[in-house]
Amino acid sequence: DTGVSQDPRHKITKRGQNVTFRCDPISEHNRLYWYRQTLGQGPEFLTYFQNEAQLEKSRLLSDRFSAERPKGSFSTLEIQRTEQGDSAMYLCASSSRDISGNTIYFGEGSWLTVV
Amino acid sequence: AQTVTQSQPEMSVQEAETVTLSCTYDTSESNYYLFWYKQPPSRQMILVIRQEAYKQQNATENRFSVNFQKAAKSFSLKISDSQLGDTAMYFCAFMPQGGSEKLVFGKGMKLTVNP
């Protein structure tokens, strides 16, 4: 098991362009989360999937953001018409509940710079 | 809504010494978990230690231990025998039990271990 993997690790895009990030969770983890982290801040929750169902979305997730998790495996996070304020690190995390509870494991993140 | 406060933005410690990182939180939930995560420079968020709120015994993981004061809503992390590899951002996080069980993070604290 290689942990949570994210691709690309870094992306520089021009304002107004669309970008897509991919996340491959730890195998057999049925829960998947997306967070956003800006410099000097802790991660902020964006959205949550249980299997293929998107069960919760933060108000931070504007209409320009969409996330999917087809077949309950990998997930994508797309940002349309990017703005400079979208520059941040986008973190994916996965977990699976066991008898000791829910522990969330993070990927290395995808850095987005909008110029 | 839950909030997590890390009042010390930055600390430094000499190698082999002991350091304590403070964290307070606010919630009306009765069942929850608390976590400390470590984020080395340009690297992924790593789980350091976890505490279930229903457990009175403080969690320990090798050189890392917590002081959990439920009534005071305080959750501090003690690092013993500090090592250079402990240099990182440290984030305190809260997770309510049930539902999406998403993490709510503090702003983080930068710890530097000096040789």
PDB file of all heavy atoms in Angstrom, chain B residues 53-79:
ATOM      1  N   ALA B  53     -12.057  11.087  23.071  1.00  0.00           N
ATOM      2  CA  ALA B  53     -12.521  11.923  24.180  1.00  0.00           C
ATOM      3  C   ALA B  53     -13.084  11.118  25.339  1.00  0.00           C
ATOM      4  O   ALA B  53     -13.054  11.565  26.486  1.00  0.00           O
ATOM      5  CB  ALA B  53     -13.569  12.911  23.681  1.00  0.00           C
ATOM      6  N   TYR B  54     -13.585   9.905  25.047  1.00  0.00           N
ATOM      7  CA  TYR B  54     -14.186   9.109  26.122  1.00  0.00           C
ATOM      8  C   TYR B  54     -13.138   8.419  26.984  1.00  0.00           C
ATOM      9  O   TYR B  54     -13.442   7.879  28.043  1.00  0.00           O
ATOM     10  CB  TYR B  54     -15.154   8.077  25.552  1.00  0.00           C
ATOM     11  CG  TYR B  54     -14.517   7.005  24.687  1.00  0.00           C
ATOM     12  CD1 TYR B  54     -13.962   5.870  25.245  1.00  0.00           C
ATOM     13  CD2 TYR B  54     -14.476   7.143  23.305  1.00  0.00           C
ATOM     14  CE1 TYR B  54     -13.379   4.886  24.457  1.00  0.00           C
ATOM     15  CE2 TYR B  54     -13.892   6.167  22.506  1.00  0.00           C
ATOM     16  CZ  TYR B  54     -13.355   5.042  23.082  1.00  0.00           C
ATOM     17  OH  TYR B  54     -12.788   4.083  22.300  1.00  0.00           O
ATOM     18  N   LYS B  55     -11.895   8.432  26.535  1.00  0.00           N
ATOM     19  CA  LYS B  55     -10.824   7.776  27.287  1.00  0.00           C
ATOM     20  C   LYS B  55     -10.174   8.780  28.243  1.00  0.00           C
ATOM     21  O   LYS B  55      -9.778   9.872  27.842  1.00  0.00           O
ATOM     22  CB  LYS B  55      -9.752   7.215  26.348  1.00  0.00           C
ATOM     23  CG  LYS B  55     -10.206   5.994  25.556  1.00  0.00           C
ATOM     24  CD  LYS B  55      -9.046   5.398  24.787  1.00  0.00           C
ATOM     25  CE  LYS B  55      -9.476   4.136  24.046  1.00  0.00           C
ATOM     26  NZ  LYS B  55      -8.373   3.545  23.257  1.00  0.00           N
ATOM     27  N   GLN B  56     -10.070   8.398  29.500  1.00  0.00           N
ATOM     28  CA  GLN B  56      -9.427   9.271  30.476  1.00  0.00           C
ATOM     29  C   GLN B  56      -7.916   9.208  30.380  1.00  0.00           C
ATOM     30  O   GLN B  56      -7.221  10.178  30.694  1.00  0.00           O
ATOM     31  CB  GLN B  56      -9.880   8.894  31.878  1.00  0.00           C
ATOM     32  CG  GLN B  56     -11.352   9.200  32.138  1.00  0.00           C
ATOM     33  CD  GLN B  56     -11.731   8.970  33.590  1.00  0.00           C
ATOM     34  OE1 GLN B  56     -11.067   8.209  34.289  1.00  0.00           O
ATOM     35  NE2 GLN B  56     -12.780   9.626  34.036  1.00  0.00           N
ATOM     36  N   GLN B  57      -7.399   8.062  29.942  1.00  0.00           N
ATOM     37  CA  GLN B  57      -5.950   7.891  29.864  1.00  0.00           C
ATOM     38  C   GLN B  57      -5.397   8.685  28.696  1.00  0.00           C
ATOM     39  O   GLN B  57      -5.911   8.626  27.573  1.00  0.00           O
ATOM     40  CB  GLN B  57      -5.609   6.416  29.699  1.00  0.00           C
ATOM     41  CG  GLN B  57      -4.129   6.112  29.760  1.00  0.00           C
ATOM     42  CD  GLN B  57      -3.841   4.626  29.746  1.00  0.00           C
ATOM     43  OE1 GLN B  57      -4.737   3.819  29.569  1.00  0.00           O
ATOM     44  NE2 GLN B  57      -2.590   4.268  29.943  1.00  0.00           N
ATOM     45  N   ASN B  58      -4.320   9.418  28.957  1.00  0.00           N
ATOM     46  CA  ASN B  58      -3.688  10.199  27.905  1.00  0.00           C
ATOM     47  C   ASN B  58      -2.947   9.279  26.932  1.00  0.00           C
ATOM     48  O   ASN B  58      -2.260   8.345  27.336  1.00  0.00           O
ATOM     49  CB  ASN B  58      -2.696  11.195  28.509  1.00  0.00           C
ATOM     50  CG  ASN B  58      -3.388  12.323  29.230  1.00  0.00           C
ATOM     51  OD1 ASN B  58      -4.430  12.810  28.792  1.00  0.00           O
ATOM     52  ND2 ASN B  58      -2.821  12.755  30.344  1.00  0.00           N
ATOM     53  N   ALA B  59      -3.058   9.593  25.637  1.00  0.00           N
ATOM     54  CA  ALA B  59      -2.394   8.796  24.610  1.00  0.00           C
ATOM     55  C   ALA B  59      -0.890   9.057  24.597  1.00  0.00           C
ATOM     56  O   ALA B  59      -0.430  10.178  24.879  1.00  0.00           O
ATOM     57  CB  ALA B  59      -2.993   9.116  23.241  1.00  0.00           C
ATOM     58  N   THR B  60      -0.132   8.011  24.266  1.00  0.00           N
ATOM     59  CA  THR B  60       1.317   8.141  24.096  1.00  0.00           C
ATOM     60  C   THR B  60       1.738   7.353  22.865  1.00  0.00           C
ATOM     61  O   THR B  60       1.141   6.315  22.542  1.00  0.00           O
ATOM     62  CB  THR B  60       2.094   7.613  25.318  1.00  0.00           C
ATOM     63  OG1 THR B  60       1.800   6.222  25.469  1.00  0.00           O
ATOM     64  CG2 THR B  60       1.701   8.345  26.586  1.00  0.00           C
ATOM     65  N   GLU B  61       2.735   7.888  22.171  1.00  0.00           N
ATOM     66  CA  GLU B  61       3.333   7.226  21.013  1.00  0.00           C
ATOM     67  C   GLU B  61       4.827   7.511  21.051  1.00  0.00           C
ATOM     68  O   GLU B  61       5.287   8.539  20.567  1.00  0.00           O
ATOM     69  CB  GLU B  61       2.738   7.755  19.705  1.00  0.00           C
ATOM     70  CG  GLU B  61       1.365   7.254  19.360  1.00  0.00           C
ATOM     71  CD  GLU B  61       1.324   5.792  18.933  1.00  0.00           C
ATOM     72  OE1 GLU B  61       2.379   5.243  18.548  1.00  0.00           O
ATOM     73  OE2 GLU B  61       0.224   5.206  18.991  1.00  0.00           O
ATOM     74  N   ASN B  62       5.565   6.599  21.639  1.00  0.00           N
ATOM     75  CA  ASN B  62       7.020   6.746  21.733  1.00  0.00           C
ATOM     76  C   ASN B  62       7.375   8.061  22.437  1.00  0.00           C
ATOM     77  O   ASN B  62       7.036   8.242  23.595  1.00  0.00           O
ATOM     78  CB  ASN B  62       7.653   6.628  20.345  1.00  0.00           C
ATOM     79  CG  ASN B  62       7.333   5.308  19.684  1.00  0.00           C
ATOM     80  OD1 ASN B  62       7.430   4.258  20.301  1.00  0.00           O
ATOM     81  ND2 ASN B  62       6.925   5.367  18.417  1.00  0.00           N
ATOM     82  N   ARG B  63       8.001   8.996  21.735  1.00  0.00           N
ATOM     83  CA  ARG B  63       8.440  10.251  22.368  1.00  0.00           C
ATOM     84  C   ARG B  63       7.313  11.289  22.476  1.00  0.00           C
ATOM     85  O   ARG B  63       7.517  12.375  23.025  1.00  0.00           O
ATOM     86  CB  ARG B  63       9.593  10.846  21.559  1.00  0.00           C
ATOM     87  CG  ARG B  63      10.831   9.979  21.480  1.00  0.00           C
ATOM     88  CD  ARG B  63      11.943  10.690  20.722  1.00  0.00           C
ATOM     89  NE  ARG B  63      11.615  10.902  19.314  1.00  0.00           N
ATOM     90  CZ  ARG B  63      11.336  12.092  18.795  1.00  0.00           C
ATOM     91  NH1 ARG B  63      11.345  13.179  19.547  1.00  0.00           N
ATOM     92  NH2 ARG B  63      11.065  12.200  17.507  1.00  0.00           N
ATOM     93  N   PHE B  64       6.166  10.962  21.932  1.00  0.00           N
ATOM     94  CA  PHE B  64       5.045  11.911  21.887  1.00  0.00           C
ATOM     95  C   PHE B  64       3.970  11.497  22.887  1.00  0.00           C
ATOM     96  O   PHE B  64       3.585  10.328  22.947  1.00  0.00           O
ATOM     97  CB  PHE B  64       4.440  11.954  20.483  1.00  0.00           C
ATOM     98  CG  PHE B  64       5.418  12.392  19.414  1.00  0.00           C
ATOM     99  CD1 PHE B  64       6.198  11.458  18.754  1.00  0.00           C
ATOM    100  CD2 PHE B  64       5.551  13.730  19.082  1.00  0.00           C
ATOM    101  CE1 PHE B  64       7.098  11.850  17.777  1.00  0.00           C
ATOM    102  CE2 PHE B  64       6.447  14.129  18.105  1.00  0.00           C
ATOM    103  CZ  PHE B  64       7.226  13.194  17.456  1.00  0.00           C
ATOM    104  N   SER B  65       3.491  12.445  23.647  1.00  0.00           N
ATOM    105  CA  SER B  65       2.400  12.181  24.579  1.00  0.00           C
ATOM    106  C   SER B  65       1.513  13.410  24.649  1.00  0.00           C
ATOM    107  O   SER B  65       1.925  14.510  24.272  1.00  0.00           O
ATOM    108  CB  SER B  65       2.939  11.826  25.974  1.00  0.00           C
ATOM    109  OG  SER B  65       3.679  12.915  26.503  1.00  0.00           O
ATOM    110  N   VAL B  66       0.282  13.200  25.094  1.00  0.00           N
ATOM    111  CA  VAL B  66      -0.647  14.324  25.192  1.00  0.00           C
ATOM    112  C   VAL B  66      -1.101  14.491  26.633  1.00  0.00           C
ATOM    113  O   VAL B  66      -1.054  13.569  27.436  1.00  0.00           O
ATOM    114  CB  VAL B  66      -1.881  14.143  24.276  1.00  0.00           C
ATOM    115  CG1 VAL B  66      -1.450  14.064  22.822  1.00  0.00           C
ATOM    116  CG2 VAL B  66      -2.704  12.929  24.687  1.00  0.00           C
ATOM    117  N   ASN B  67      -1.530  15.720  26.929  1.00  0.00           N
ATOM    118  CA  ASN B  67      -2.200  16.025  28.188  1.00  0.00           C
ATOM    119  C   ASN B  67      -3.604  16.489  27.806  1.00  0.00           C
ATOM    120  O   ASN B  67      -3.787  17.623  27.347  1.00  0.00           O
ATOM    121  CB  ASN B  67      -1.455  17.111  28.955  1.00  0.00           C
ATOM    122  CG  ASN B  67      -2.084  17.389  30.305  1.00  0.00           C
ATOM    123  OD1 ASN B  67      -3.073  16.763  30.693  1.00  0.00           O
ATOM    124  ND2 ASN B  67      -1.534  18.338  31.026  1.00  0.00           N
ATOM    125  N   PHE B  68      -4.564  15.602  27.968  1.00  0.00           N
ATOM    126  CA  PHE B  68      -5.943  15.869  27.567  1.00  0.00           C
ATOM    127  C   PHE B  68      -6.742  16.252  28.805  1.00  0.00           C
ATOM    128  O   PHE B  68      -6.897  15.450  29.730  1.00  0.00           O
ATOM    129  CB  PHE B  68      -6.527  14.620  26.902  1.00  0.00           C
ATOM    130  CG  PHE B  68      -7.993  14.707  26.579  1.00  0.00           C
ATOM    131  CD1 PHE B  68      -8.529  15.831  25.977  1.00  0.00           C
ATOM    132  CD2 PHE B  68      -8.836  13.650  26.873  1.00  0.00           C
ATOM    133  CE1 PHE B  68      -9.879  15.907  25.675  1.00  0.00           C
ATOM    134  CE2 PHE B  68     -10.185  13.700  26.575  1.00  0.00           C
ATOM    135  CZ  PHE B  68     -10.703  14.832  25.978  1.00  0.00           C
ATOM    136  N   GLN B  69      -7.235  17.482  28.829  1.00  0.00           N
ATOM    137  CA  GLN B  69      -8.053  17.984  29.921  1.00  0.00           C
ATOM    138  C   GLN B  69      -9.433  18.302  29.340  1.00  0.00           C
ATOM    139  O   GLN B  69      -9.656  19.384  28.793  1.00  0.00           O
ATOM    140  CB  GLN B  69      -7.414  19.238  30.530  1.00  0.00           C
ATOM    141  CG  GLN B  69      -6.022  19.038  31.074  1.00  0.00           C
ATOM    142  CD  GLN B  69      -6.017  18.185  32.320  1.00  0.00           C
ATOM    143  OE1 GLN B  69      -6.936  18.231  33.124  1.00  0.00           O
ATOM    144  NE2 GLN B  69      -4.958  17.391  32.481  1.00  0.00           N
ATOM    145  N   LYS B  70     -10.348  17.325  29.458  1.00  0.00           N
ATOM    146  CA  LYS B  70     -11.631  17.452  28.777  1.00  0.00           C
ATOM    147  C   LYS B  70     -12.459  18.632  29.298  1.00  0.00           C
ATOM    148  O   LYS B  70     -13.065  19.364  28.526  1.00  0.00           O
ATOM    149  CB  LYS B  70     -12.432  16.149  28.900  1.00  0.00           C
ATOM    150  CG  LYS B  70     -13.672  16.111  28.018  1.00  0.00           C
ATOM    151  CD  LYS B  70     -14.311  14.735  28.029  1.00  0.00           C
ATOM    152  CE  LYS B  70     -15.489  14.688  27.066  1.00  0.00           C
ATOM    153  NZ  LYS B  70     -16.115  13.336  27.028  1.00  0.00           N
ATOM    154  N   ALA B  71     -12.490  18.798  30.593  1.00  0.00           N
ATOM    155  CA  ALA B  71     -13.298  19.878  31.168  1.00  0.00           C
ATOM    156  C   ALA B  71     -12.778  21.241  30.721  1.00  0.00           C
ATOM    157  O   ALA B  71     -13.550  22.163  30.454  1.00  0.00           O
ATOM    158  CB  ALA B  71     -13.296  19.785  32.687  1.00  0.00           C
ATOM    159  N   ALA B  72     -11.481  21.366  30.632  1.00  0.00           N
ATOM    160  CA  ALA B  72     -10.870  22.625  30.213  1.00  0.00           C
ATOM    161  C   ALA B  72     -10.796  22.743  28.694  1.00  0.00           C
ATOM    162  O   ALA B  72     -10.405  23.794  28.174  1.00  0.00           O
ATOM    163  CB  ALA B  72      -9.471  22.749  30.802  1.00  0.00           C
ATOM    164  N   LYS B  73     -11.147  21.692  27.977  1.00  0.00           N
ATOM    165  CA  LYS B  73     -11.058  21.639  26.520  1.00  0.00           C
ATOM    166  C   LYS B  73      -9.655  22.008  26.064  1.00  0.00           C
ATOM    167  O   LYS B  73      -9.455  22.891  25.206  1.00  0.00           O
ATOM    168  CB  LYS B  73     -12.123  22.537  25.888  1.00  0.00           C
ATOM    169  CG  LYS B  73     -13.531  22.034  26.188  1.00  0.00           C
ATOM    170  CD  LYS B  73     -14.621  22.901  25.552  1.00  0.00           C
ATOM    171  CE  LYS B  73     -15.989  22.324  25.913  1.00  0.00           C
ATOM    172  NZ  LYS B  73     -17.092  23.184  25.447  1.00  0.00           N
ATOM    173  N   SER B  74      -8.711  21.301  26.637  1.00  0.00           N
ATOM    174  CA  SER B  74      -7.311  21.532  26.352  1.00  0.00           C
ATOM    175  C   SER B  74      -6.659  20.220  25.912  1.00  0.00           C
ATOM    176  O   SER B  74      -6.972  19.148  26.448  1.00  0.00           O
ATOM    177  CB  SER B  74      -6.625  22.073  27.609  1.00  0.00           C
ATOM    178  OG  SER B  74      -5.236  22.072  27.473  1.00  0.00           O
ATOM    179  N   PHE B  75      -5.748  20.318  24.937  1.00  0.00           N
ATOM    180  CA  PHE B  75      -5.138  19.115  24.360  1.00  0.00           C
ATOM    181  C   PHE B  75      -3.715  19.465  23.948  1.00  0.00           C
ATOM    182  O   PHE B  75      -3.475  19.854  22.811  1.00  0.00           O
ATOM    183  CB  PHE B  75      -5.974  18.670  23.156  1.00  0.00           C
ATOM    184  CG  PHE B  75      -5.522  17.399  22.508  1.00  0.00           C
ATOM    185  CD1 PHE B  75      -5.489  16.204  23.197  1.00  0.00           C
ATOM    186  CD2 PHE B  75      -5.153  17.382  21.165  1.00  0.00           C
ATOM    187  CE1 PHE B  75      -5.083  15.028  22.593  1.00  0.00           C
ATOM    188  CE2 PHE B  75      -4.751  16.211  20.537  1.00  0.00           C
ATOM    189  CZ  PHE B  75      -4.719  15.032  21.255  1.00  0.00           C
ATOM    190  N   SER B  76      -2.773  19.341  24.855  1.00  0.00           N
ATOM    191  CA  SER B  76      -1.397  19.722  24.555  1.00  0.00           C
ATOM    192  C   SER B  76      -0.574  18.501  24.169  1.00  0.00           C
ATOM    193  O   SER B  76      -0.855  17.377  24.572  1.00  0.00           O
ATOM    194  CB  SER B  76      -0.764  20.452  25.737  1.00  0.00           C
ATOM    195  OG  SER B  76      -0.733  19.604  26.871  1.00  0.00           O
ATOM    196  N   LEU B  77       0.449  18.751  23.379  1.00  0.00           N
ATOM    197  CA  LEU B  77       1.356  17.706  22.888  1.00  0.00           C
ATOM    198  C   LEU B  77       2.731  17.914  23.499  1.00  0.00           C
ATOM    199  O   LEU B  77       3.289  19.007  23.399  1.00  0.00           O
ATOM    200  CB  LEU B  77       1.470  17.767  21.363  1.00  0.00           C
ATOM    201  CG  LEU B  77       2.497  16.820  20.716  1.00  0.00           C
ATOM    202  CD1 LEU B  77       2.037  15.368  20.841  1.00  0.00           C
ATOM    203  CD2 LEU B  77       2.722  17.181  19.249  1.00  0.00           C
ATOM    204  N   LYS B  78       3.271  16.879  24.111  1.00  0.00           N
ATOM    205  CA  LYS B  78       4.622  16.930  24.646  1.00  0.00           C
ATOM    206  C   LYS B  78       5.539  16.066  23.796  1.00  0.00           C
ATOM    207  O   LYS B  78       5.242  14.897  23.531  1.00  0.00           O
ATOM    208  CB  LYS B  78       4.662  16.451  26.103  1.00  0.00           C
ATOM    209  CG  LYS B  78       6.039  16.610  26.733  1.00  0.00           C
ATOM    210  CD  LYS B  78       6.046  16.351  28.225  1.00  0.00           C
ATOM    211  CE  LYS B  78       6.089  14.884  28.539  1.00  0.00           C
ATOM    212  NZ  LYS B  78       6.290  14.631  29.998  1.00  0.00           N
ATOM    213  N   ILE B  79       6.629  16.680  23.355  1.00  0.00           N
ATOM    214  CA  ILE B  79       7.643  15.962  22.589  1.00  0.00           C
ATOM    215  C   ILE B  79       8.887  15.845  23.463  1.00  0.00           C
ATOM    216  O   ILE B  79       9.475  16.867  23.850  1.00  0.00           O
ATOM    217  CB  ILE B  79       7.986  16.685  21.267  1.00  0.00           C
ATOM    218  CG1 ILE B  79       6.725  16.938  20.450  1.00  0.00           C
ATOM    219  CG2 ILE B  79       8.991  15.861  20.469  1.00  0.00           C
ATOM    220  CD1 ILE B  79       6.965  17.774  19.185  1.00  0.00           C
TER     221      ILE B  79
END
